[in-house]
Amino acid sequence: MLRSIVSNFGWRMAERIVAVFFSILVGAWVARYLGPDSFGVLAAALAIVGLISVLPFLGLERILVRELVEKPAEEEGAILGTAAVMTSLASVAGLAITAGVIWSFPATNELRWTTLLIASSLIGTPAMVVRAWFEKELQGDRDAVAGILG
């Protein structure tokens, strides 16, 4: 058991290190390519989506992992299904909230469309359910490889 926990932790750390490395590399390249004006629009859009995208989920992943660990295996399918529906609805709500916010304030069309394009990535958040199941099963290697490749 201890070995699988340590292995799971190692894979999670490797995933984070790779993600940070590529984030810095791609961020620097994008900043040089876009220039100050366009990169400012991108940074503002990322900030708006970052602030709003936290609201619909509110720690659902931690609760899901806890429920998967505490409940019997027979209830696992129902828990995962409910979480998938909840995260799908939350991602659509997050996209709608973002659209409402960005169109209610004075902004350029470039900022509005960039924000909506970035906010559309919220639709992929139901994959969080699969990550929670991997975490419960202490299969961090599969989850980390999927995170690095995806």
Side-chain angles (χ1 to χ4, degrees), residues 126-147:
M128 177 265 300
V129 174
V130 177
R131 292 185 71 121
W133 183 79
F134 278 135
E135 187 173 333
K136 179 247 181 194
E137 294 292 322
L138 293 176
Q139 295 183 359
D141 55 342
R142 295 178 183 171
D143 181 33
V145 169

Side-chain angles (χ1 to χ4, degrees), residues 3-131:
R3 179 180 163 100
S4 62
I5 292 172
V6 170
S7 174
N8 192 46
F9 176 76
W11 278 103
R12 294 252 181 219
M13 287 302 298
E15 178 191 10
R16 302 284 181 190
I17 290 168
V18 169
V20 167
F21 173 74
F22 281 111
S23 293
I24 292 170
L25 186 70
V26 170
W29 180 77
V30 168
R32 284 182 50 97
Y33 181 79
L34 291 179
D37 292 339
S38 295
F39 188 70
V41 169
L42 178 64
L46 285 169
I48 292 167
V49 173
L51 288 171
I52 295 172
S53 68
V54 191
L55 296 176
F57 302 102
L58 295 175
L60 181 63
E61 186 173 8
R62 296 289 127 219
I63 295 169
L64 176 59
V65 172
R66 186 191 71 218
E67 289 296 313
L68 287 172
V69 169
E70 291 177 355
K71 302 292 183 187
E74 298 83 35
E75 296 179 25
E76 190 172 276
I79 293 170
L80 290 171
T82 302
V85 169
M86 287 176 63
T87 56
S88 295
L89 293 174
S91 63
V92 170
L95 185 57
I97 291 169
T98 304
V101 166
I102 195 63
W103 253 272
S104 66
F105 291 105
T108 64
N109 280 336
E110 183 182 20
L111 177 60
R112 286 182 175 145
W113 290 110
T114 303
T115 303
L116 286 181
L117 182 66
I118 293 169
S120 68
S121 69
L122 294 174
I123 302 301
T125 52
M128 177 265 300
V129 174
V130 177
R131 292 185 71 121

